[in-house]
Amino acid sequence: MNLVPEIQALESQMRDWRHHLHAHPETAFEESATAAFVADKLTRLGLEVHTGLAKTGVVGVLRHGTGERAIGLRADLDALHIQEASGVSYQSCHPGRMHACGHDGHTTMLLGAAQVLAQRRSFAGTVYFIFQPAEENEGGGRVMVEEGLFDRFPMEAVYGLHNWPRKALGTFATREGPLMGAYDIFEIVVTGKGGHAAMPYVTRDPMLFAAHMINALQTIVARNLHPQDAGVVSVTQVHGGDTWNVIPEQVVLRGTVRTFRREVQDLIESRIRGLAAGVASTFEMAATVRYERRYPSTVNTAAETAHAVRAARSVVGDAQVETDPVPELGSEDFAFMLQAKRGCYVWMGTGEGEDTVNVHNPRYDFNDRALAIGGSYWVTLAEQQLPSDAMRQAG
Ligand SMILES: [Zn+2]
Ligand SMILES: [Zn+2]
């Protein structure tokens, strides 16, 4: 392990920051105290601080030397709607809200890196520290991009990181191309003809549609996708009917689709629409389909992936950085930044044994032993990407 000494020296301070943030979680677009905490720290470090981007987002600007080059490092601020059951002494003081995805750790590591980069001044150019709101569900990263993040703060590339309890502490993993999936939702409303359950011949039973449609949806991945393409179609809600002896007029099916590639996403959407129309017409009913693309897939660009891998290897050693992990179909709001800008998203291992609790669980807590690793990764990445003249000559 090759931790940045100034980050190591900051470790206990970083723990305190992290525990403070953990005890005061705020959810999507309401992260005002968290944003104020971040803005205050950055201001004290002498950074130029911009607030209010995507409501509660913060961008800190650190310039040094004569270099024209610039990169962005991104962390997320928000918590989840979960009642905490971790039992830690700094447990959430906000009922029903919890830092169950470790964004308290992400924010802390980026603040630590800002402090150390401001102190070391061993780079040339500009580092933008991007603290985005509403990573969970609400697309705060998308809103930041729409509000001109990359126009106001021109940078050549943007980098993101997520703690990963299912990989070992002291490791990193990332890959060129898709690392996380696209997240779409669908809703199918079928309208038949309601009536007495004892006289189905005078009705058009939408339950029949639901039964056939759920089966038919499962043929898309099995029969329409190329075997090497990944996709998931899950029906997660069926709503219909109120009592024993009435055939309802309408049934609603809802669910989610996960994919890595746009072509597969297009194919699945079109098959859902085709199947809904076909099954409805078979049973002489009408179905409407609402299909919404929530988050695109998180796709890393080649050169920036190599830069991220190099920085991670400098910190944890060559053998500890995986460069072809199996991608996950969970989704990540950072995808919107990667659609607008070259960059790379990495998983930082935080697991310690089989029993490590995963993110989004009420018993989860960010692993403090990873703070110095993630902080060192950010500092190393920035210094490698924006080398000062002295570093360039030495290197
Ligand atoms: Zn999450
Ligand atoms: Zn997260």
Side-chain angles (χ1 to χ4, degrees), residues 159-178:
Y159 294 88
L161 170 160
H162 208 291
N163 76 99
W164 215 251
R166 288 170 54 230
K167 292 194 180 284
L169 181 70
T171 67
F172 281 83
T174 190
R175 69 192 293 276
E176 183 189 330

Side-chain angles (χ1 to χ4, degrees), residues 76 78 80 100-103 135-136 162 331-332 359-360:
D76 33 19
D78 58 319
L80 281 155
C101 203
H103 300 181
E135 191 283 320
E136 306 280 359
H162 208 291
S331 65
E332 165 58 65
V359 293
H360 290 211

